[in-house]
Amino acid sequence: MITQIRGRLVEKNPTEVVVDCNGVGYLLHISLNTFSSLPAAENVVLYTHLSIREDAHTLFGFINKTEREVFKLLISVSGVGPSIARTMCSSMTSEEIQNAIASENVKVIQSVKGIGAKTAQRVIVDLKDKILKTFDIDAISVAASNTNKDEALSALEVLGFQRKQSDKIVNAVLKENPEATVEKIIKLALKNL
C-alpha cells in the first residue's frame, strides 16, 4: 500500500525515524544499516513495507530497494516475523544475508538473535533459489570464496592468530579481492595482522 516515503527527517533513532510528509509524521521502523546510511540532510527518501497484523499496522523503512526485498523474502519464511527480519537486516548487510543464504551458511544465519537452527535451515531451504534468481548471484562463486575463506582462517589459526581478529581482516581482503586464492588471502591478511 505505502511503498515509498519522501519528506523531512524529524526524528532519528537507531531503531526508528519520523518522516514529515506535508504535515503528516510517519513513524518508520528501520534497521541499523538504514540508520547508518541515512543522509545528513533533512530530506530523505525511504522505501517502505507496511506490515498489517490483527493488533498493529507497522511501517518499516529501508534505505534501498535491495534491503527491502531481502526483508520481504525473510518475512515470507514461516517462523520469521518482521522484528526478527529487521534484527537480521541490522546484524548483517543485505549482501551478507544473500551470500549466507546462497552458500547455505547455517551458522551465520543462526548467529542472529532469535533464529535457531531449524529456522536458519528453513530460511535457506525456502529462500536459496529465490535469492539466486532475484539477485543473480552465482552459487558456485559464493561457495568457492567461502571455502577459500574457511581454509585461510584455519591456516591463520594454525599460525597462532585469533579467529575473531583474522575473520575481520579476511573479510576486508575478500571485499577488495573477491576472486583471491587461499594463498593470496593468507598473504594479504598477514600484512594486516
Side-chain angles (χ1 to χ4, degrees):
M1 185 176 150
I2 300 172
T3 190
Q4 173 186 315
I5 289 193
R6 180 188 308 267
R8 194 168 56 85
L9 196 60
V10 181
E11 286 180 38
K12 177 180 168 182
N13 298 308
T15 56
E16 59 191 31
V17 293
V18 175
V19 178
D20 181 316
C21 297
N22 299 323
V24 178
Y26 291 92
L27 174 72
L28 292 104
H29 296 267
I30 59 170
S31 70
L32 290 174
N33 288 322
T34 294
F35 175 75
S36 61
S37 301
L38 282 171
E42 280 188 346
N43 292 325
V44 294
V45 175
L46 290 173
Y47 299 96
T48 62
H49 173 76
L50 180 61
S51 172
I52 298 176
R53 290 197 338 244
E54 199 174 294
D55 59 341
H57 291 196
T58 312
L59 199 56
F60 291 90
F62 307 95
I63 200 71
N64 56 42
K65 290 181 179 177
T66 304
E67 188 180 26
R68 180 177 66 182
E69 284 311 307
V70 168
F71 177 85
K72 284 179 172 181
L73 285 172
L74 288 171
I75 62 173
S76 72
V77 176
S78 173
V80 178
S83 61
I84 289 178
R86 180 173 69 159
T87 303
M88 199 164 180
C89 288
S90 293
S91 306
M92 299 184 269
T93 65
S94 302
E95 290 74 26
E96 288 170 341
I97 294 169
Q98 293 166 28
N99 289 335
I101 293 169
S103 63
E104 299 183 23
N105 196 335
V106 177
K107 284 184 182 174
V108 171
I109 296 168
Q110 201 177 333
S111 69
V112 175
K113 186 177 183 276
I115 293 186
K118 283 185 179 178
T119 306
Q121 288 166 343
R122 195 176 308 124
V123 165
I124 289 168
V125 168
D126 289 2
L127 299 183
K128 184 177 179 186
D129 291 339
K130 290 178 186 173
I131 289 278
L132 292 173
K133 269 187 216 158
T134 309
F135 298 103
D136 197 29
I137 298 172
D138 186 1
I140 296 146
S141 71
V142 170
S145 67
N146 265 15
T147 306
N148 289 353
K149 177 185 172 183
D150 292 340
E151 285 180 33
L153 285 172
S154 297
L156 290 167
E157 220 171 347
V158 169
L159 292 172
F161 295 99
Q162 290 183 341
R163 191 169 183 97
K164 204 172 191 180
Q165 183 186 7
S166 302
D167 193 39
K168 284 181 184 174
I169 290 170
V170 167
N171 283 336
V173 167
L174 283 170
K175 263 188 183 171
E176 288 177 31
N177 309 292
E179 302 300 318
T181 62
V182 177
E183 294 78 18
K184 188 171 183 180
I185 295 169
I186 295 167
K187 283 178 186 174
L188 291 170
L190 285 172
K191 287 180 184 175
N192 297 309
L193 282 168

